[in-house]
Amino acid sequence: MITIKTKERIEIVDITEDVQSLVSKSDVKDGVAIVYTPHTTTAIIINEAERGLMDDITSIIQKIVPQNSYKHDRIDNNADAHLRAVILGNSVVVPVTNGKLDLGTWQRIMFVELDGPRSRRVLVKVVK
Ligand code: ZN
């Protein structure tokens, strides 16, 4: 498990090294790593962790799902965060080859906070 303390309402955190560290501790040399967030207002994505692109992603998410009046807001006023999480997805599966995450050259595994700041968990299961 990885724990993350986010600082902003919307924030992208590169967790590739944390995931690789858990893969390295497992016995599995060839299989898959399942990276899963158990929260309803966070997401997991794979893409390039270039600062400008990360800003572009947070910007486009807010354009696609603007702050608005949603039905869920009567409960806890964070419907936009849930809807953004639905669009991005809450897990990724990465091949593990020779004990390493088999990512493309520019691919990174990123945790997306959508209703921070909060303390969050990411579960990693390495399966043969
Ligand atoms: Zn809510």
Side-chain angles (χ1 to χ4, degrees):
M1 189 181 73
I2 299 165
T3 55
I4 301 166
K5 278 199 192 309
T6 57
K7 299 177 197 77
E8 309 290 338
R9 176 138 203 268
I10 300 181
E11 180 179 350
I12 299 178
V13 182
D14 184 347
I15 59 169
T16 310
E17 296 311 318
D18 304 276
V19 177
Q20 179 58 59
S21 161
L22 292 172
V23 168
S24 298
K25 283 180 196 154
S26 83
D27 305 333
V28 179
K29 297 292 165 221
D30 282 277
V32 293
I34 299 160
V35 184
Y36 175 87
T37 174
H39 309 284
T40 55
T41 55
T42 64
I44 305 284
I45 60 173
I46 292 178
N47 216 289
E48 190 172 334
E50 187 275 319
R51 177 45 58 191
L53 180 62
M54 291 158 93
D55 289 346
D56 290 337
I57 293 168
T58 57
S59 167
I60 200 77
I61 290 166
Q62 293 172 86
K63 283 190 185 121
I64 293 167
V65 182
Q67 279 193 313
N68 208 328
S69 184
Y70 300 106
K71 290 181 182 176
H72 177 72
D73 287 333
R74 70 181 187 272
I75 308 291
D76 61 359
N77 206 37
N78 66 350
D80 59 345
H82 291 279
L83 296 169
R84 290 164 182 167
V86 166
I87 287 170
L88 293 174
N90 66 351
S91 67
V92 295
V93 176
V94 182
V96 171
T97 306
N98 297 323
K100 297 274 185 207
L101 291 167
D102 209 341
L103 292 162
T105 305
W106 301 106
Q107 286 186 319
R108 305 293 288 180
I109 304 167
M110 296 185 278
F111 173 84
V112 186
E113 174 62 80
L114 296 161
D115 195 25
R118 296 199 203 197
S119 187
R120 301 295 202 171
R121 294 183 302 141
V122 173
L123 308 182
V124 178
K125 299 288 179 187
V126 190
V127 183
K128 193 168 179 162

